[in-house]
CSV table of all heavy atoms in Angstrom, one decimal:
chain,number,residue,atom,x,y,z
A,508,LEU,N,2.0,17.9,1.2
A,508,LEU,CA,1.5,19.1,0.5
A,508,LEU,C,2.4,20.3,0.7
A,508,LEU,O,2.1,21.4,0.2
A,508,LEU,CB,0.1,19.4,1.1
A,508,LEU,CG,-1.0,18.3,0.9
A,508,LEU,CD1,-2.3,18.8,1.4
A,508,LEU,CD2,-1.1,17.9,-0.6
A,509,ASP,N,3.6,20.1,1.3
A,509,ASP,CA,4.6,21.1,1.3
A,509,ASP,C,5.7,20.6,0.3
A,509,ASP,O,6.1,19.4,0.3
A,509,ASP,CB,5.2,21.2,2.7
A,509,ASP,CG,4.2,21.7,3.7
A,509,ASP,OD1,3.3,22.5,3.3
A,509,ASP,OD2,4.3,21.2,4.9
A,510,PRO,N,6.3,21.5,-0.5
A,510,PRO,CA,7.4,21.2,-1.4
A,510,PRO,C,8.5,20.5,-0.6
A,510,PRO,O,8.9,21.0,0.5
A,510,PRO,CB,7.8,22.5,-2.0
A,510,PRO,CG,6.6,23.4,-1.8
A,510,PRO,CD,6.0,23.0,-0.6
A,511,GLY,N,9.1,19.5,-1.2
A,511,GLY,CA,10.2,18.8,-0.5
A,511,GLY,C,11.3,18.4,-1.5
A,511,GLY,O,11.4,18.9,-2.6
A,512,THR,N,12.2,17.5,-1.0
A,512,THR,CA,13.4,17.1,-1.8
A,512,THR,C,13.6,15.6,-2.0
A,512,THR,O,14.7,15.2,-2.2
A,512,THR,CB,14.6,17.7,-1.0
A,512,THR,OG1,14.6,17.2,0.3
A,512,THR,CG2,14.6,19.2,-1.0
A,513,SER,N,12.5,14.9,-1.9
A,513,SER,CA,12.6,13.4,-2.0
A,513,SER,C,13.2,13.0,-3.3
A,513,SER,O,13.9,12.0,-3.4
A,513,SER,CB,11.2,12.7,-1.8
A,513,SER,OG,10.8,12.9,-0.5
A,514,MET,N,13.0,13.7,-4.4
A,514,MET,CA,13.6,13.4,-5.7
A,514,MET,C,15.1,13.5,-5.6
A,514,MET,O,15.8,12.6,-6.2
A,514,MET,CB,13.0,14.3,-6.8
A,514,MET,CG,13.2,13.7,-8.2
A,514,MET,SD,12.2,12.3,-8.6
A,514,MET,CE,13.4,11.1,-9.0
A,515,ASP,N,15.6,14.5,-4.9
A,515,ASP,CA,17.1,14.5,-4.7
A,515,ASP,C,17.6,13.3,-4.0
A,515,ASP,O,18.7,12.8,-4.4
A,515,ASP,CB,17.4,15.8,-3.9
A,515,ASP,CG,17.3,17.1,-4.6
A,515,ASP,OD1,17.3,17.1,-5.8
A,515,ASP,OD2,17.3,18.1,-3.9
A,516,ALA,N,16.8,12.8,-3.0
A,516,ALA,CA,17.3,11.7,-2.3
A,516,ALA,C,17.4,10.4,-3.1
A,516,ALA,O,18.3,9.6,-2.9
A,516,ALA,CB,16.3,11.4,-1.1
A,517,VAL,N,16.5,10.2,-4.1
A,517,VAL,CA,16.6,9.1,-5.0
A,517,VAL,C,17.9,9.0,-5.7
A,517,VAL,O,18.6,8.0,-5.7
A,517,VAL,CB,15.4,9.1,-6.0
A,517,VAL,CG1,15.6,8.0,-7.0
A,517,VAL,CG2,14.1,8.9,-5.2
A,518,PHE,N,18.3,10.1,-6.3
A,518,PHE,CA,19.6,10.1,-7.0
A,518,PHE,C,20.8,10.0,-6.1
A,518,PHE,O,21.8,9.3,-6.4
A,518,PHE,CB,19.7,11.4,-7.9
A,518,PHE,CG,18.7,11.4,-9.0
A,518,PHE,CD1,17.7,12.4,-9.0
A,518,PHE,CD2,18.8,10.6,-10.0
A,518,PHE,CE1,16.8,12.4,-10.0
A,518,PHE,CE2,17.8,10.6,-11.1
A,518,PHE,CZ,16.8,11.5,-11.0
A,519,ASP,N,20.7,10.6,-4.9
A,519,ASP,CA,21.9,10.6,-4.0
A,519,ASP,C,22.0,9.2,-3.4
A,519,ASP,O,23.2,8.7,-3.2
A,519,ASP,CB,21.7,11.6,-2.9
A,519,ASP,CG,21.8,13.0,-3.3
A,519,ASP,OD1,22.4,13.2,-4.4
A,519,ASP,OD2,21.3,14.0,-2.6
A,520,ILE,N,20.9,8.5,-3.1
A,520,ILE,CA,21.1,7.1,-2.6
A,520,ILE,C,21.6,6.2,-3.7
A,520,ILE,O,22.5,5.4,-3.4
A,520,ILE,CB,19.7,6.6,-2.1
A,520,ILE,CG1,19.3,7.3,-0.8
A,520,ILE,CG2,19.7,5.1,-1.9
A,520,ILE,CD1,17.9,7.0,-0.3
A,521,ASP,N,21.2,6.4,-4.9
A,521,ASP,CA,21.7,5.6,-6.1
A,521,ASP,C,23.2,5.6,-6.2
A,521,ASP,O,23.8,4.6,-6.7
A,521,ASP,CB,21.0,6.0,-7.4
A,521,ASP,CG,19.6,5.6,-7.5
A,521,ASP,OD1,19.1,4.9,-6.6
A,521,ASP,OD2,19.0,5.9,-8.5
A,522,LYS,N,23.8,6.7,-5.8
A,522,LYS,CA,25.3,6.8,-6.0
A,522,LYS,C,26.1,6.8,-4.7
A,522,LYS,O,27.3,6.9,-4.7
A,522,LYS,CB,25.7,8.0,-6.8
A,522,LYS,CG,25.3,9.4,-6.2
A,522,LYS,CD,25.7,10.5,-7.1
A,522,LYS,CE,25.3,11.9,-6.4
A,522,LYS,NZ,25.6,13.0,-7.3
A,523,ALA,N,25.4,6.6,-3.6
A,523,ALA,CA,26.0,6.6,-2.3
A,523,ALA,C,27.0,5.3,-2.2
A,523,ALA,O,26.7,4.3,-2.8
A,523,ALA,CB,25.0,6.5,-1.1
A,524,SER,N,28.1,5.5,-1.6
A,524,SER,CA,29.1,4.4,-1.5
A,524,SER,C,29.4,3.9,-0.2
A,524,SER,O,30.1,2.9,0.0
A,524,SER,CB,30.4,5.0,-2.1
A,524,SER,OG,30.9,6.0,-1.3
A,525,ASP,N,28.8,4.5,0.9
A,525,ASP,CA,29.0,4.0,2.2
A,525,ASP,C,27.9,4.5,3.1
A,525,ASP,O,27.0,5.2,2.7
A,525,ASP,CB,30.4,4.5,2.8
A,525,ASP,CG,30.6,6.0,2.7
A,525,ASP,OD1,29.6,6.7,2.7
A,525,ASP,OD2,31.8,6.4,2.7
A,526,TRP,N,28.0,4.1,4.4
A,526,TRP,CA,26.9,4.5,5.4
A,526,TRP,C,26.8,6.0,5.6
A,526,TRP,O,25.6,6.5,5.6
A,526,TRP,CB,27.3,3.8,6.7
A,526,TRP,CG,26.4,4.2,7.9
A,526,TRP,CD1,26.8,4.9,9.0
A,526,TRP,CD2,25.0,3.9,8.1
A,526,TRP,NE1,25.7,5.0,9.9
A,526,TRP,CE2,24.6,4.5,9.3
A,526,TRP,CE3,24.1,3.3,7.3
A,526,TRP,CZ2,23.3,4.4,9.8
A,526,TRP,CZ3,22.7,3.2,7.7
A,526,TRP,CH2,22.4,3.7,9.0
A,527,ASP,N,27.8,6.7,5.6
A,527,ASP,CA,27.7,8.2,5.8
A,527,ASP,C,27.0,8.8,4.6
A,527,ASP,O,26.2,9.7,4.7
A,527,ASP,CB,29.1,8.8,6.0
A,527,ASP,CG,29.7,8.4,7.4
A,527,ASP,OD1,28.9,8.0,8.3
A,527,ASP,OD2,30.9,8.5,7.6
A,528,GLY,N,27.4,8.3,3.4
A,528,GLY,CA,26.8,8.9,2.2
A,528,GLY,C,25.3,8.5,2.1
A,528,GLY,O,24.5,9.3,1.7
A,529,PHE,N,25.0,7.3,2.5
A,529,PHE,CA,23.6,6.9,2.5
A,529,PHE,C,22.8,7.7,3.5
A,529,PHE,O,21.7,8.1,3.2
A,529,PHE,CB,23.6,5.4,2.9
A,529,PHE,CG,22.2,4.8,3.0
A,529,PHE,CD1,21.5,4.5,1.9
A,529,PHE,CD2,21.6,4.6,4.2
A,529,PHE,CE1,20.2,3.9,1.9
A,529,PHE,CE2,20.3,4.0,4.3
A,529,PHE,CZ,19.7,3.7,3.2
A,530,ARG,N,23.3,7.9,4.7
A,530,ARG,CA,22.5,8.7,5.7
A,530,ARG,C,22.4,10.1,5.2
A,530,ARG,O,21.3,10.8,5.4
A,530,ARG,CB,23.2,8.7,7.1
A,530,ARG,CG,23.1,7.4,7.8
A,530,ARG,CD,23.5,7.5,9.3
A,530,ARG,NE,22.5,8.3,10.0
A,530,ARG,CZ,22.8,9.1,11.0
A,530,ARG,NH1,24.0,9.2,11.5
A,530,ARG,NH2,21.8,9.7,11.6
A,531,ALA,N,23.4,10.7,4.6
A,531,ALA,CA,23.3,12.1,4.1
A,531,ALA,C,22.3,12.2,3.0
A,531,ALA,O,21.5,13.1,3.0
A,531,ALA,CB,24.7,12.5,3.6
A,532,ALA,N,22.2,11.2,2.2
A,532,ALA,CA,21.2,11.1,1.1
A,532,ALA,C,19.8,11.0,1.7
A,532,ALA,O,18.8,11.7,1.3
A,532,ALA,CB,21.4,10.0,0.1
A,533,ALA,N,19.7,10.2,2.8
A,533,ALA,CA,18.3,10.0,3.4
A,533,ALA,C,17.8,11.2,4.0
A,533,ALA,O,16.6,11.4,4.2
A,533,ALA,CB,18.5,8.9,4.4
A,534,ARG,N,18.6,12.2,4.4
A,534,ARG,CA,18.2,13.4,5.0
A,534,ARG,C,17.2,14.2,4.0
A,534,ARG,O,16.4,15.0,4.5
A,534,ARG,CB,19.3,14.3,5.4
A,534,ARG,CG,20.1,13.8,6.5
A,534,ARG,CD,21.4,14.7,6.8
A,534,ARG,NE,21.0,16.0,7.2
A,534,ARG,CZ,20.8,16.4,8.5
A,534,ARG,NH1,21.0,15.5,9.5
A,534,ARG,NH2,20.5,17.6,8.8
Side-chain angles (χ1 to χ4, degrees):
L508 297 184
D509 299 325
T512 54
S513 292
M514 199 70 242
D515 285 343
V517 171
F518 294 112
D519 289 343
I520 289 174
D521 283 357
K522 63 182 180 181
S524 61
D525 56 22
W526 173 244
D527 289 340
F529 178 77
R530 287 195 71 209
R534 290 175 67 88

